[in-house]
Amino acid sequence: MILVIGGAGYIGSHMVLALQDAGHEVLVFDNLSRGFSDAVGSAPLVVGDLRNASHLDTLFATYRIRLVMHFAALAYVGESVTAPELYYQNNVVGALNLLVAMRRHGVDKLVFSSTCATYGEPDAVPISEAHPQRPINPYGRTKLMMEQALADYATAYGNQSISLRYFNAAGADALGRVGERHDPETHLIPLVLAEALRLQNGGNPADTALQVFGNDFDTADGSCVRDYIHVTDLCQAHLLAAQRLLSGQSQGAEFYNLANGAGFSVIEVIETCRQVTGQPIHFKMKPRRAGDPAVLIGDASRAHAVLGWKPAIGDMHDIIQSAWAWMQRMPT
Ligand code: UDP
């Protein structure tokens, strides 16, 4: 059985479906602090918290786990700056508790959700795994600390892990079973589409609450450029990573970027949302958000070469179309 920690969250809930669709038996562990119990579908859900070691001991003593996927981290850059304790407790203490429990119960295979935020302000783009890791916020630091712990565990104890450094996850399940649902929502695409939905429901375009953070970056239109990768493509990479771990091909702690290799500006994303939704989306220009690098574009050639992964949904229109279909049916 594969344990998905954080399976009630955005990427985790898509992963549960991808694993089930591929014929795996899945168990979800989640504290439901940010996730939704109805997002785990037919998978059994154990409600528990990584910060409580006894929850983990009971979990591993009760179920026969072959491999763990860990998605249960807090992931808001801004919040990590104002509430670092929450981030170190959840993302570091919680994840270290997981490593202890795995070792105690003889489980040595882990797929770990990491992030391009471990790189910080890039020297150049596209960013490959060889780029120095110099995170500029507590969120990125917590993820880097765990990558380093995984490398040390591999050296000392022979643990096998694959850390996947996501660029900007976006989109929703093609069958509309799950999608992006954060509370509070801070991500660009769902906020733009929420504005489109408000307009579709008769809202006045002038009353928009949508904000664009910065138009003075060193980019073509002045807004930030990001590399958006479809959540289903992320899940396919996790399946390949799991296969690599289960077949004994991995070599200790491995690290891969997951990205499309193409950048879209905030303004371009909004324009594509206008095209997809047919709504005249307006926005307010605001100052830069703290900690936003101008351009983040990933080089995923290592994942292509070693994992055999190739993203299937590179078109921004398709990514937004899937998110829009979900937005219109999302439970409130
Ligand atoms: N952004 C924006 N307005 C918003 C939310 C985000 O202009 O309401 C910008 C943000 O500054 C960044 C990009 O959109 O340049 C993507 O932000 P998001 O929070 O979606 O992802 P992040 O890059 O922080 O992981």
Side-chain angles (χ1 to χ4, degrees), residues 75 77 167-168 186-191 210-214 217 223-226 228 266 289 292-293 296:
V77 167
F167 282 68
N168 284 57
T186 64
H187 294 104
L188 178 65
I189 293 176
L191 286 174
L210 182 64
Q211 304 178 333
V212 169
F213 299 129
F217 289 95
S223 66
C224 284
V225 170
R226 293 288 178 273
Y228 294 89
V266 173
R289 200 173 62 172
D292 265 343
L296 290 175

Side-chain angles (χ1 to χ4, degrees), residues 8-275:
Y10 170 41
I11 304 173
S13 61
H14 286 79
M15 193 67 231
V16 169
L17 291 172
L19 285 164
Q20 289 178 325
D21 291 347
H24 292 283
E25 201 184 341
V26 182
L27 175 69
V28 174
F29 180 83
D30 199 299
N31 68 6
L32 298 180
S33 66
R34 305 264 161 119
F36 300 88
S37 58
D38 61 5
V40 306
S42 63
L45 167 66
V46 174
V47 179
D49 198 302
L50 288 173
R51 291 164 295 181
N52 189 328
S54 72
H55 290 180
L56 288 167
D57 255 332
T58 309
L59 180 77
F60 281 96
T62 310
Y63 298 93
R64 277 200 54 210
I65 312 287
R66 292 176 71 205
L67 178 143
V68 178
M69 293 189 176
H70 177 31
F71 297 91
L74 300 177
Y76 294 130
V77 167
E79 185 185 56
S80 80
V81 175
T82 54
E85 186 168 281
L86 203 55
Y87 278 68
Y88 285 103
Q89 287 296 316
N90 269 280
N91 298 5
V92 179
V93 175
L96 290 174
N97 284 344
L98 172 64
L99 296 189
V100 170
M102 286 175 65
R103 223 161 78 73
R104 185 176 296 149
H105 294 273
V107 181
D108 69 349
K109 295 176 180 55
L110 174 69
V111 184
F112 178 69
S113 299
S114 189
T115 168
C116 63
T118 59
Y119 294 114
E121 191 75 53
D123 296 332
V125 294
I127 303 168
S128 79
E129 292 84 354
H131 189 285
Q133 287 177 294
R134 297 176 302 232
I136 56 172
N137 52 60
Y139 168 60
R141 280 191 276 277
T142 62
K143 289 290 183 175
L144 179 56
M145 284 175 190
M146 288 317 301
E147 285 197 6
Q148 290 167 334
L150 289 172
D152 292 337
Y153 266 62
T155 306
Y157 310 126
N159 283 51
Q160 299 296 307
S161 63
I162 295 186
S163 294
L164 299 172
R165 295 177 187 153
Y166 313 155
F167 282 68
N168 284 57
D173 176 53
L175 302 178
R177 296 170 291 182
V178 287
E180 186 162 9
R181 192 164 27 142
H182 292 116
D183 188 14
E185 187 55 80
T186 64
H187 294 104
L188 178 65
I189 293 176
L191 286 174
V192 181
L193 293 177
E195 170 59 12
L197 194 62
R198 189 184 70 81
L199 297 176
Q200 185 168 274
N201 292 334
N204 181 348
D207 295 339
T208 183
L210 182 64
Q211 304 178 333
V212 169
F213 299 129
N215 62 353
D216 55 352
F217 289 95
D218 186 15
T219 60
D221 63 23
S223 66
C224 284
V225 170
R226 293 288 178 273
D227 184 329
Y228 294 89
I229 176 84
H230 198 280
V231 63
T232 303
D233 282 327
L234 289 183
C235 292
Q236 288 310 308
H238 286 71
L239 283 178
L240 293 165
Q243 253 169 38
R244 182 168 168 83
L245 290 166
L246 291 170
S247 64
Q249 291 170 289
S250 61
Q251 291 167 9
E254 299 183 352
F255 308 90
Y256 300 91
N257 285 342
L258 297 182
N260 260 316
F264 291 87
S265 74
V266 173
I267 302 294
E268 285 172 330
V269 168
I270 294 172
E271 182 50 36
T272 311
C273 289
R274 287 193 187 111
Q275 289 165 14

Side-chain angles (χ1 to χ4, degrees), residues 293-313:
V295 181
L296 290 175
I297 298 174
D299 172 353
S301 36
R302 186 194 279 181
H304 300 170
V306 182
L307 298 178
W309 176 72
K310 261 235 141 35
I313 315 170

